[in-house]
Short mmCIF file of all heavy atoms in Angstrom, two decimals:
data_model
loop_
_atom_site.label_atom_id
_atom_site.label_comp_id
_atom_site.label_asym_id
_atom_site.label_seq_id
_atom_site.Cartn_x
_atom_site.Cartn_y
_atom_site.Cartn_z
N LYS A 221 -9.60 5.58 6.63
CA LYS A 221 -9.11 5.15 7.94
C LYS A 221 -9.32 6.21 9.02
O LYS A 221 -9.37 5.88 10.20
CB LYS A 221 -7.62 4.81 7.85
CG LYS A 221 -7.30 3.64 6.93
CD LYS A 221 -7.95 2.35 7.43
CE LYS A 221 -7.57 1.16 6.57
NZ LYS A 221 -8.20 -0.09 7.03
N GLY A 222 -9.40 7.48 8.61
CA GLY A 222 -9.59 8.50 9.63
C GLY A 222 -9.43 9.89 9.07
O GLY A 222 -9.24 10.10 7.87
N PHE A 223 -9.52 10.89 9.98
CA PHE A 223 -9.35 12.27 9.55
C PHE A 223 -8.72 13.10 10.67
O PHE A 223 -8.77 12.73 11.85
CB PHE A 223 -10.66 12.90 9.08
CG PHE A 223 -11.76 12.99 10.10
CD1 PHE A 223 -11.82 14.04 11.01
CD2 PHE A 223 -12.77 12.02 10.15
CE1 PHE A 223 -12.84 14.14 11.94
CE2 PHE A 223 -13.80 12.11 11.08
CZ PHE A 223 -13.83 13.17 11.97
N MET A 224 -8.15 14.24 10.26
CA MET A 224 -7.49 15.15 11.19
C MET A 224 -7.85 16.58 10.80
O MET A 224 -7.65 16.98 9.65
CB MET A 224 -5.97 14.94 11.15
CG MET A 224 -5.19 15.85 12.07
SD MET A 224 -3.42 15.43 12.17
CE MET A 224 -2.88 15.97 10.55
N ILE A 225 -8.40 17.35 11.75
CA ILE A 225 -8.85 18.71 11.45
C ILE A 225 -8.21 19.70 12.41
O ILE A 225 -8.01 19.41 13.59
CB ILE A 225 -10.39 18.83 11.51
CG1 ILE A 225 -10.97 18.11 12.73
CG2 ILE A 225 -11.01 18.31 10.23
CD1 ILE A 225 -12.47 18.23 12.87
N GLY A 226 -7.89 20.89 11.88
CA GLY A 226 -7.21 21.89 12.68
C GLY A 226 -7.98 23.20 12.78
O GLY A 226 -8.57 23.65 11.80
N ASN A 227 -7.93 23.82 13.97
CA ASN A 227 -8.62 25.08 14.23
C ASN A 227 -9.99 25.06 13.56
O ASN A 227 -10.33 25.94 12.75
CB ASN A 227 -7.77 26.26 13.77
CG ASN A 227 -6.50 26.39 14.62
OD1 ASN A 227 -5.50 25.73 14.36
ND2 ASN A 227 -6.57 27.23 15.64
N ALA A 228 -10.74 24.06 13.91
CA ALA A 228 -11.92 23.67 13.15
C ALA A 228 -13.21 24.21 13.76
O ALA A 228 -13.40 24.16 14.98
CB ALA A 228 -12.00 22.15 13.06
N LEU A 229 -14.09 24.69 12.90
CA LEU A 229 -15.43 25.10 13.30
C LEU A 229 -16.23 23.84 13.61
O LEU A 229 -16.49 23.03 12.72
CB LEU A 229 -16.08 25.88 12.16
CG LEU A 229 -17.37 26.65 12.49
CD1 LEU A 229 -17.06 27.86 13.34
CD2 LEU A 229 -18.06 27.08 11.20
N LEU A 230 -16.63 23.68 14.87
CA LEU A 230 -17.26 22.44 15.30
C LEU A 230 -18.65 22.63 15.89
O LEU A 230 -19.54 21.81 15.67
CB LEU A 230 -16.37 21.73 16.34
CG LEU A 230 -15.01 21.25 15.86
CD1 LEU A 230 -14.22 20.69 17.03
CD2 LEU A 230 -15.14 20.23 14.75
N ASP A 231 -18.84 23.71 16.64
CA ASP A 231 -20.10 23.87 17.36
C ASP A 231 -20.34 25.37 17.56
O ASP A 231 -19.52 26.06 18.16
CB ASP A 231 -20.01 23.15 18.71
CG ASP A 231 -21.30 23.23 19.52
OD1 ASP A 231 -22.17 22.36 19.30
OD2 ASP A 231 -21.43 24.16 20.32
N ASP A 232 -21.46 25.86 17.04
CA ASP A 232 -21.72 27.31 17.06
C ASP A 232 -21.64 27.89 18.47
O ASP A 232 -21.01 28.94 18.70
CB ASP A 232 -23.10 27.61 16.48
CG ASP A 232 -23.13 27.55 14.97
OD1 ASP A 232 -22.13 27.11 14.38
OD2 ASP A 232 -24.15 27.95 14.37
N ASP A 233 -22.28 27.27 19.40
CA ASP A 233 -22.35 27.79 20.77
C ASP A 233 -20.95 27.90 21.38
O ASP A 233 -20.51 28.98 21.80
CB ASP A 233 -23.25 26.88 21.60
CG ASP A 233 -23.46 27.40 23.02
OD1 ASP A 233 -23.05 28.54 23.30
OD2 ASP A 233 -24.03 26.67 23.84
N THR A 234 -20.23 26.79 21.41
CA THR A 234 -18.92 26.78 22.07
C THR A 234 -17.87 27.52 21.25
O THR A 234 -16.96 28.14 21.83
CB THR A 234 -18.46 25.34 22.34
OG1 THR A 234 -18.61 24.57 21.13
CG2 THR A 234 -19.29 24.70 23.43
N ASP A 235 -17.96 27.48 19.92
CA ASP A 235 -16.98 28.21 19.10
C ASP A 235 -17.07 29.71 19.37
O ASP A 235 -16.05 30.39 19.53
CB ASP A 235 -17.22 27.93 17.61
CG ASP A 235 -16.75 26.55 17.19
OD1 ASP A 235 -15.92 25.97 17.92
OD2 ASP A 235 -17.20 26.06 16.15
#
Side-chain angles (χ1 to χ4, degrees):
K221 297 297 183 181
F223 62 83
M224 179 172 71
I225 44 178
N227 293 85
L229 192 72
L230 296 175
D231 182 87
D232 282 9
D233 184 9
T234 49
D235 285 341

